[in-house]
Amino acid sequence: MVRKPVVSTISSGGYLQGNVNGKLPSLGGKELPGEEKVVLKKKITLLRGISIIIGTIIGAGIFISPKGVLQNTGSVGMSLIIWTVCGVLSLFGALSYAELGTSIKKSGGHYTYILEVFGPLPAFVRVWVELLIIRPAATAVISLAFGRYILEPFFIQCEIPELAIKLITAVGITVVMVLNSMSVSWSARIQIFLTFCKLTAILIIIVPGVMQLIKGQTHHFKDAFSGRDASIMGLPLAFYYGMYAYAGWFYLNFVTEEVENPEKNIPLAICISMAIVTVGYVLTNVAYFTTISAEELLLSNAVAVTFSERLLGNFSLAVPIFVALSCFGSMNGGVFAVSRLFYVASREGHLPEILSMIHVRKHTPLPAVIVLHPLTMIMLFSGDLYSLLNFLSFARWLFIGLAVAGLIYLRYKRPDMHRPFKVPLFIPALFSFTCLFMVALSLYSDPFSTGIGFIITLTGVPAYYLFIIWDKKPKWFRRMSDGITRTLQIILEVVPEEDCRKL
């Protein structure tokens, strides 16, 4: 049941009026400045696209604790191979999404591709779990890392109080939400700045590491493949950790409709970003091993801090600040992209209508941005966030795998579809197999957490039939729903997008 939004206006009396004359929306009886159409504008350039991808992939993990891969491989050499292979496989997934994004020119990422190929039910289940649990929990986790590391320089000699971390985290989340509500251009500019901060932080680690290699500090690389043999379960788990570290390459596809010249810029941004991140991740790990042994790395709670304390002296105090900025960039990029997922899902009739509306002056999807704020705050101050993410980790790879498998399906079902960018079939085939393998791995290695996640995901099925399919809802419910939508529309100063998109 797809709802087609009707462009409307807010009269001075506070009631919604249909735009029957084809005029642009007005607020309080006044025409909008310059007669501008109320749409999301194409403001994502190639540089901004690269900053969205790099800025969301590189979070805190590579600086704090890249030991999940080493712990499950058992040797330095094998861990470096896993980092490289995961980068290449993530590039395969990103290239598959580049074909999907240039063929299906709609925002929304996974949701849109699953809707296009498999229909509304699996697409609704995907956005249901994303809105209620995955995105608020993921935002809260990366935000907590931001809060902890921004306070680190002020609590050198003592433990940081948990309440202080959560309060600073709440401020950071609020700032990100306000920024994305106010201006697309400013959030994109800040993302570019934060991306350069991340790359600077990586260079601060890589350059001294290269200097150590030049000086002959290679003893940790001798017999690089010796050590504890990786178990049969160890290598797949190391692979899982590596793929998780590269997650984020799909975020540009969430904002396809706002990308300038998407047929050219989406593939370019993806290729450039993945090359930079893969080389950066591998060289950062090489740099660590020039100074820290494998045993020391496994014992360290913050590898970048340990590394910088040994090589950089007093300058090591800057590392927590760079980690905090890196986390803030991931928060900003994630909110910017995922809000478009909720916006598109609402436009398709799968989420409340208010989420598909745009601010009349700022041209931002204001409701789709701020809906995350209360949900994230609830996650922040209650529950075990990491358990929730573990419960739902399999869902992410399942739906990404389905979306990429959909590319193969479309090749045979719609061979004449316009494809400005086309990848060899072995790329999506290998990547979708990888995703399904990771889902099977999670079922085998942690059946309890995966089972709970599966049950949580399945709650989307009755929700779909209750909220979407069932159209005989009581009149009081419809009146209440319409009243809430009208009130929020007036308060937030938002209207539906002009129905003149060429999709």
Side-chain angles (χ1 to χ4, degrees):
M1 175 181 163
V2 178
R3 181 189 67 248
K4 186 176 180 181
V6 179
V7 177
S8 55
T9 65
I10 306 176
S11 72
S12 56
Y15 293 97
L16 292 173
Q17 298 175 336
N19 189 358
V20 294
N21 296 321
K23 294 181 180 179
L24 294 170
S26 62
L27 189 65
K30 297 179 181 178
E31 292 296 323
L32 291 173
E35 296 285 318
E36 287 188 292
K37 292 179 180 178
V38 183
V39 294
L40 294 178
K41 296 183 177 180
K42 290 183 177 290
K43 293 189 175 182
I44 308 300
T45 60
L46 176 60
L47 180 59
R48 289 176 178 178
I50 292 170
S51 72
I52 287 172
I53 298 172
I54 294 178
T56 46
I57 292 178
I58 303 176
I62 192 66
F63 302 112
I64 299 171
S65 183
K67 60 187 179 184
V69 174
L70 178 62
Q71 195 169 26
N72 289 284
T73 54
S75 68
V76 171
M78 186 57 70
S79 71
L80 294 176
I81 288 175
I82 290 292
W83 278 108
T84 306
V85 170
C86 288
V88 173
L89 277 169
S90 296
L91 174 62
F92 283 2
L95 290 173
S96 301
Y97 263 51
E99 177 175 329
L100 286 167
T102 53
S103 304
I104 305 170
K105 298 184 183 69
K106 298 179 184 178
S107 296
H110 327 309
Y111 167 82
T112 296
Y113 309 141
I114 291 170
L115 178 66
E116 188 83 11
V117 177
F118 299 105
L121 176 56
F124 175 84
V125 171
R126 176 70 184 90
V127 77
W128 168 264
V129 178
E130 183 78 24
L131 174 62
L132 293 184
I133 295 178
I134 294 180
R135 185 45 45 188
T139 303
V141 166
I142 192 67
S143 302
L144 279 170
F146 163 78
R148 180 175 296 279
Y149 280 87
I150 201 72
L151 291 173
E152 184 82 17
F154 303 102
F155 292 86
I156 298 174
Q157 303 298 329
C158 60
E159 192 72 22
I160 306 172
E162 282 298 317
L163 181 59
I165 293 173
K166 290 193 174 184
L167 289 175
I168 291 295
T169 298
V171 171
I173 293 170
T174 303
V175 169
V176 167
M177 299 292 179
V178 170
L179 176 65
N180 280 274
S181 300
M182 297 297 288
S183 171
V184 172
S185 295
W186 271 106
S187 59
R189 287 170 190 153
I190 289 175
Q191 188 68 10
I192 292 172
F193 167 74
L194 293 170
T195 298
F196 278 111
C197 288
K198 290 170 188 261
L199 296 178
T200 301
I202 284 180
L203 285 174
I204 287 173
I205 295 169
I206 291 174
V207 172
V210 171
M211 292 173 66
Q212 288 288 92
L213 287 175
I214 293 172
K215 291 176 183 178
Q217 298 293 327
T218 59
H219 53 281
H220 292 146
F221 295 99
K222 291 178 181 177
D223 300 321
F225 291 91
S226 66
R228 180 177 55 82
D229 292 333
S231 64
I232 294 176
M233 280 304 299
L235 282 178
L237 282 173
F239 184 75
Y240 185 89
Y241 278 109
M243 291 296 289
Y244 185 82
Y246 283 100
W249 44 262
F250 41 74
Y251 277 119
L252 189 60
N253 291 67
F254 284 34
V255 296
T256 301
E257 293 170 30
E258 297 170 71
V259 177
E260 292 181 359
N261 193 5
E263 295 183 359
K264 174 186 174 184
N265 285 339
I266 289 179
L268 263 179
I270 283 171
C271 291
I272 293 170
S273 301
M274 292 309 299
I276 291 172
V277 172
T278 303
V279 172
Y281 272 12
V282 173
L283 290 182
T284 299
N285 278 277
V286 169
Y288 287 149
F289 289 122
T290 63
T291 305
I292 305 171
S293 68
E295 293 76 16
E296 289 171 326
L297 188 144
L298 290 174
L299 292 173
S300 175
N301 291 321
V303 181
V305 174
T306 304
F307 175 87
S308 60
E309 284 174 349
R310 294 191 182 181
L311 287 186
L312 304 178
N314 291 332
F315 189 71
S316 63
L317 292 174
V319 171
I321 302 299
F322 277 110
V323 174
L325 290 173
S326 178
C327 294
F328 193 83
S330 294
M331 292 158 59
N332 183 61
V335 169
F336 181 87
V338 174
S339 61
R340 273 58 178 181
L341 167 61
F342 301 148
Y343 167 81
V344 172
S346 172
R347 194 172 67 189
E348 296 291 342
H350 285 170
L351 289 177
E353 185 178 6
I354 189 69
L355 298 183
S356 63
M357 297 189 185
I358 301 171
H359 195 277
V360 293
R361 292 185 300 276
K362 305 183 189 305
H363 293 213
T364 59
L366 177 62
V369 172
I370 64 175
V371 71
L372 276 173
H373 191 269
L375 295 170
T376 305
M377 289 299 174
I378 291 170
M379 292 288 184
L380 178 63
F381 288 99
S382 65
D384 186 349
L385 295 171
Y386 297 95
S387 294
L388 281 172
L389 284 180
N390 288 337
F391 292 156
L392 276 304
S393 60
F394 92 100
R396 163 182 276 182
W397 296 111
L398 174 63
F399 285 111
I400 290 176
L402 281 176
V404 175
L407 182 155
I408 302 171
Y409 175 80
L410 287 173
R411 286 281 189 93
Y412 291 99
K413 191 71 175 178
R414 295 164 63 179
D416 298 328
M417 186 179 188
H418 178 56
R419 294 178 174 88
F421 181 82
K422 197 172 181 179
V423 296
L425 267 182
F426 82 90
I427 288 179
L430 179 60
F431 184 78
S432 56
F433 170 79
T434 300
C435 291
L436 296 176
F437 168 75
M438 292 173 72
V439 171
L441 172 64
S442 64
L443 282 168
Y444 179 79
S445 62
D446 192 356
F448 177 74
S449 294
T450 305
I452 292 176
F454 186 67
I455 291 170
I456 293 172
T457 303
L458 284 181
T459 61
V461 176
Y464 174 75
Y465 285 98
L466 178 63
F467 296 116
I468 309 302
I469 297 298
W470 184 39
D471 56 359
K472 295 182 179 179
K473 298 180 179 69
K475 289 184 179 180
W476 65 264
F477 179 84
R478 294 184 181 183
R479 283 197 299 268
M480 181 180 70
S481 177
D482 292 343
I484 291 172
T485 300
R486 282 197 299 268
T487 302
L488 288 174
Q489 192 172 353
I490 294 167
I491 293 171
L492 299 176
E493 299 184 356
V494 293
V495 294
E497 181 182 23
E498 285 273 307
D499 196 25
C500 59
R501 300 179 308 277
K502 292 181 180 180
L503 300 177

